[in-house]
């Protein structure tokens, strides 16, 4: 078999592994296998580059693989589950940046020929640059390096003008074709540089005004952008694996963006063009009632003698790493004849599937975990809804308060349960920064403390009631 045929066949195998990997993500049971499939595909794709005839810089390639691989290995080991969104933003930005860099190099070397290839290279460069700089801003925000929401006067008009300039410059590059056909290599280079700068700035100004609860959707959208950019550059390089991987990432990113936007009841256009800003955040005025504390002993008794308990985990459970204790408490309650279910909001925590991953890690069986639509009707029959470090996802003002930034977001109906116990450390607000009427409800009791310790106290008290 000639090297060319071997390369093409390998790329098809790689593409199939990527698709298989993604397919396996459909269920938590097969998700780990999916990661292995995709990983093997990535290794094959990397090895194939070594037998590609045009490849000459083996030393550089090995150095890049060793440096990049070591950093990724280290980060993969040390990154905390709660910092995962930042990590996704970084990888996303790398993908978009790589696609833009490929386009820049191909233009600089004069390797882009024909209208179709030039159009795709320009589109890949534009989308890749926006994904790169937008992901950098998303990372800075999630990492707490950029706490302010920057909103320019007439932001949407500025966005439109910048996008227009980028499109015009891109059009000029397509029209010019290449430095040779343009006739003036210097002017062509300047046009390219201006195009990349404007595209990068566009990514920054599009992302900077977006804050609060919308950030996960933005990361997912940028992920879809990165996929598209990689797919376009795959065409430019004549690399089928890149084309298929790019399309798979682009399509899945788009679907995930739509699902998340729906879960937060925020149309995508609304997220980008009318983001939630600091000023929009309501102070919780109009909330009546008071916060009523409960002891770990009383909370344990309420659950020990309940028939049905629904647990709602949130970001606080992740920060506290309380999932193992929560599962221990669940088993204990079940031994006492209590029916226990877990209710998962699609955007609970800080990344899609955050709670599912943590509960799976602790060993909670999948048949005890229910999505919002599956469980919301069951809250009125629950004796206790136990909210562990969740806030926005159980905030009833999403149903009633039109001035609330999360108005319209579907929430878990914890307030419909007979009793609500909320475990949190104090009066801290949720991700969107707003007060929560649920905590002031007649049937709500607050169990103050970090989730891990609070649940441990409940466990100790349930044990003391046994036998
Ligand atoms: P949340 O609204 O962020 O609230 C978390 C609560 O946990 C806080 O009120 C905090 O109160 C408490 N907490 C913090 N540390 C704790 C600890 N050690 N022990 C116990 N409690 C602790 O969380 P959520 O209800 O899960 O909602 C998620 C929010 O994040 C949504 O607004 C969503 O849009 C947004 N978001 C989601 C994603 C995603 O993809 N899932 C990504 C980014 C953003 P105290 O300080 O008083 O303890």
């Amino acid at each position: 078999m000639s090297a060319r045929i071997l390369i093409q066949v390998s790329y098809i195998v790689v593409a199939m592994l990527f698709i298989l990997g993604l397919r396996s993500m459909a269920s938590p049971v097969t998700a780990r296998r999916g990661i292995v499939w995709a990983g093997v595909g990535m290794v094959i794709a990397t090895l194939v580059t070594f037998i590609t005839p045009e490849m000459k810089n083996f030393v550089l390639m090995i150095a890049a693989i060793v440096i990049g691989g070591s950093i990724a290995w280290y980060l993969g080991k040390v990154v905390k589950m709660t910092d995962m969104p930042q990590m996704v933003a970084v990888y996303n930005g790398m993908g978009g940046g790589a696609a833009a860099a490929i386009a820049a190099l191909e233009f600089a070397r004069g390797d882009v020929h024909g209208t179709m290839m030039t159009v795709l290279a320009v589109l890949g460069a534009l989308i890749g640059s926006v994904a790169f700089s937008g992901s950098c801003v998303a990372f800075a925000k999630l990492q707490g390096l950029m706490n302010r929401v920057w909103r320019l006067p007439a932001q949407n008009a500025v966005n439109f003008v910048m996008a227009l300039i980028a499109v015009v410059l891109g059009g000029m590059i397509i029209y010019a074709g290449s430095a040779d056909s343009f006739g003036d290599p210097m002017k062509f280079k300047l046009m390219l540089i201006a195009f990349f700068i404007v595209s990068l700035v566009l990514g920054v100004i599009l992302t900077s005004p977006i804050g609060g609860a919308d950030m996960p959707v933005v990361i997912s959208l940028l992920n879809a952008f990165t996929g598209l950019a990689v797919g376009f550059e795959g065409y430019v390089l004549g690399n089928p694996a890149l084309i298929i991987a790019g399309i798979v990432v682009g399509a899945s990113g788009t679907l995930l963006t739509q699902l998340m936007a729906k879960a937060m009841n925020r149309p995508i256009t609304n997220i980008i063009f009318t983001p939630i800003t600091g000023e929009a955040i309501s102070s919780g005025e109009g909330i009546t009632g008071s916060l009523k504390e409960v002891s770990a002993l009383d909370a344990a008794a309420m659950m020990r003698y309940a028939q049905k308990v629904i647990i709602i985990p949130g970001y606080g459970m992740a920060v506290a790493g309380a999932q193992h204790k929560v599962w221990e408490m669940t088993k204990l309650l079940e031994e006492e004849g209590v029916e226990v279910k877990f209710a998962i909001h699609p955007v609970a925590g800080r990344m899609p599937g955050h709670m599912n991953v943590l509960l799976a890690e602790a060993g909670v069986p999948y048949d005890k975990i229910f999505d919002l639509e599956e469980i919301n009707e069951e809250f009125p029959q629950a004796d206790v809804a136990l909210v562990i470090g969740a806030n926005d996802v159980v905030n009833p003002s999403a149903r009633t308060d039109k001035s609330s930034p999360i108005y319209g977001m579907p929430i878990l109906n914890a307030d419909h349960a007979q009793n609500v116990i909320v475990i949190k450390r104090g009066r801290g607000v949720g991700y969107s920064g707003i007060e929560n009427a649920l905590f002031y409800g007649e049937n709500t009791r607050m169990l103050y403390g970090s989730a891990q310790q609070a649940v441990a106290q409940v466990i100790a008290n349930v044990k003391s009631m046994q036998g």
Side-chain angles (χ1 to χ4, degrees), residues 85 142 212-216 260 264 313-317 319-320 346-352 354-355 388-394 406 409 423-432 439 449-452:
L142 291 171
D214 290 338
M215 203 37 99
M260 289 172 81
M264 297 165 98
Y315 176 67
M317 185 192 80
V319 184
V347 291
R350 290 292 179 271
M351 62 176 186
H354 200 169
M355 296 301 123
I388 306 178
N391 193 335
D392 292 344
V393 301
V394 287
I406 60 166
M409 171 169 129
I423 297 179
K424 70 201 292 282
R425 296 162 309 171
R427 302 193 63 159
V429 285
Y431 192 77
S432 62
F439 304 158
S450 190
Q452 176 142 195

Side-chain angles (χ1 to χ4, degrees), residues 96 99-101 103-104 107 119-131 195-196 199-200 229 232-233:
F107 273 120
V119 169
L120 291 182
V122 165
L123 278 177
L126 172 62
I127 299 171
S129 303
V130 169
F195 168 70
F196 276 102
S199 304
L200 289 168
F232 289 153
E233 298 314 333

Side-chain angles (χ1 to χ4, degrees), residues 306-346:
Q307 285 187 340
K308 182 170 184 164
V309 171
I310 300 181
I311 299 177
I312 302 165
Y315 176 67
M317 185 192 80
V319 184
Q323 60 274 18
H324 294 278
K325 283 278 164 224
V326 172
W327 177 222
E328 191 184 332
M329 180 189 71
T330 304
K331 286 188 285 188
L332 206 57
L333 290 173
E334 284 181 337
E335 278 168 25
E336 301 301 314
V338 183
E339 184 193 6
V340 185
K341 289 184 171 184
F342 288 84
I344 309 292
H345 191 281

Side-chain angles (χ1 to χ4, degrees), residues 105-406:
L105 254 170
E106 293 295 296
F107 273 120
R109 290 203 302 216
D111 276 351
V112 186
H113 306 290
T115 313
M116 182 68 172
M117 199 187 262
T118 318
V119 169
L120 291 182
V122 165
L123 278 177
L126 172 62
I127 299 171
S129 303
V130 169
F132 172 71
S133 55
S135 299
C136 290
V137 173
F139 168 79
K141 287 192 172 200
L142 291 171
Q143 191 66 20
L145 304 172
M146 188 177 164
N147 293 322
R148 260 197 69 187
V149 169
W150 297 90
R151 192 161 173 79
L152 301 167
Q155 176 79 46
N156 288 343
V158 177
N159 290 353
F160 178 76
V161 171
M162 285 306 273
L164 194 69
I165 298 173
V167 169
V168 169
L169 283 166
M172 284 163 70
I173 293 167
I174 293 167
Y175 184 72
S178 65
D180 290 341
S181 57
F182 190 56
D184 186 341
M186 196 56 202
K187 264 196 191 151
F188 187 78
K189 229 178 233 168
L190 284 177
M191 216 153 64
L192 269 179
I193 292 171
F195 168 70
F196 276 102
I197 291 175
V198 172
S199 304
L200 289 168
V201 172
L202 183 61
V204 173
I205 62 166
L206 276 175
T207 331
S208 297
I210 302 170
D214 290 338
M215 203 37 99
V217 191
V218 173
I219 292 179
S220 177
L221 186 66
L222 291 171
N223 188 36
F225 278 11
T226 296
L228 265 183
V230 167
F232 289 153
E233 298 314 333
Y235 182 87
V236 174
L237 291 178
N239 184 324
L242 269 189
I243 299 175
I244 296 172
I247 291 170
V248 168
V249 173
S252 54
T254 307
L255 285 176
L256 182 62
T257 309
Q258 278 177 342
L259 284 173
M260 289 172 81
K262 204 169 148 227
M264 297 165 98
N265 194 39
R266 301 265 298 145
I268 295 162
T269 43
N270 193 303
I271 289 167
I272 298 171
F273 300 114
T274 47
I276 294 171
T277 61
E279 306 94 66
I281 287 174
S282 88
S283 60
E285 260 177 53
I287 291 179
T288 53
S290 59
L291 296 168
K292 295 165 281 294
E293 198 172 341
V294 70
S295 67
L297 175 64
D298 288 344
M302 283 167 78
M303 289 190 276
R304 158 70 182 80
Y305 297 106
Q307 285 187 340
K308 182 170 184 164
V309 171
I310 300 181
I311 299 177
I312 302 165
Y315 176 67
M317 185 192 80
V319 184
Q323 60 274 18
H324 294 278
K325 283 278 164 224
V326 172
W327 177 222
E328 191 184 332
M329 180 189 71
T330 304
K331 286 188 285 188
L332 206 57
L333 290 173
E334 284 181 337
E335 278 168 25
E336 301 301 314
V338 183
E339 184 193 6
V340 185
K341 289 184 171 184
F342 288 84
I344 309 292
H345 191 281
V347 291
R350 290 292 179 271
M351 62 176 186
H354 200 169
M355 296 301 123
N356 304 67
V357 171
L358 292 177
L359 295 179
E361 179 205 323
V364 179
Y366 300 120
D367 61 4
K368 292 192 190 307
I369 301 174
F370 297 87
D371 290 337
L372 183 139
E373 304 83 34
E374 292 173 320
I375 204 156
N376 246 357
E377 297 295 312
E378 291 189 30
F379 278 102
Q381 290 97 52
D383 301 289
V384 178
L386 175 64
V387 178
I388 306 178
N391 193 335
D392 292 344
V393 301
V394 287
N395 192 337
S397 60
R399 285 198 299 255
T400 51
D401 180 1
K402 286 196 171 152
S403 69
S404 169
I406 60 166

